[in-house]
Amino acid sequence: MLVMSLEATLDTTQTFEPVRVKVSEKGRVVLPMHFREAVGIKVGDVVNLELIDNELRISTFSSRLAKARARLHRLVPQGVNLVDDLIAERRAEAKREEDEAQEWLTKRSNG
């Protein structure tokens, strides 16, 4: 059985009654217009297909990006800027490496 789960990009509470569609000889399935519009699929778009619990899930890049952002937002405390933290961490590491190199050069020249 082929079941399609379409992820809405704007309104995640939006639901539609199940629709039966026919699979062509070449494995093609026509997605009804109201499903395509609900998730923002346009002609020429590339979609992601996943098989989860024997169901085919079709998602758009924008819906996957929105989910990833939401997950990240839940994990990062309010007011924390990961970019600034990463830059500060890299600068501290570069300073440590520079200090170690300077210490090694000093020992070598004195020794």
Side-chain angles (χ1 to χ4, degrees):
M1 178 178 191
L2 176 68
V3 176
M4 290 187 217
S5 171
L6 302 175
E7 301 171 359
T9 56
L10 300 176
D11 182 5
T12 57
T13 62
Q14 190 172 20
T15 59
F16 296 112
E17 290 295 318
V19 175
R20 295 181 75 175
V21 295
K22 192 172 187 174
V23 179
S24 75
E25 288 180 20
K26 294 184 180 182
R28 294 184 176 133
V29 176
V30 175
L31 303 176
M33 182 173 44
H34 61 283
F35 283 107
R36 292 191 317 265
E37 288 175 348
V39 296
I41 297 174
K42 295 176 184 59
V43 174
D45 284 354
V46 175
V47 294
N48 188 62
L49 301 178
E50 293 179 280
L51 188 61
I52 300 172
D53 294 330
N54 213 27
E55 293 183 0
L56 181 61
R57 179 173 291 177
I58 301 172
S59 58
T60 61
F61 174 76
S62 59
S63 71
R64 295 175 63 77
L65 182 59
K67 275 187 167 184
R69 285 180 175 157
R71 269 188 247 125
L72 184 61
H73 191 70
R74 286 192 302 269
L75 296 173
V76 178
Q78 186 72 19
V80 172
N81 186 323
L82 294 178
V83 173
D84 290 343
D85 289 353
L86 179 62
I87 291 170
E89 183 181 300
R90 296 295 181 234
R91 285 182 177 155
E93 181 63 27
K95 175 78 169 112
R96 249 188 320 278
E97 288 176 2
E98 186 179 311
D99 291 346
E100 287 175 6
Q102 188 61 42
E103 183 180 325
W104 182 81
L105 286 173
T106 302
K107 285 181 182 178
R108 186 170 177 193
S109 64
N110 290 339

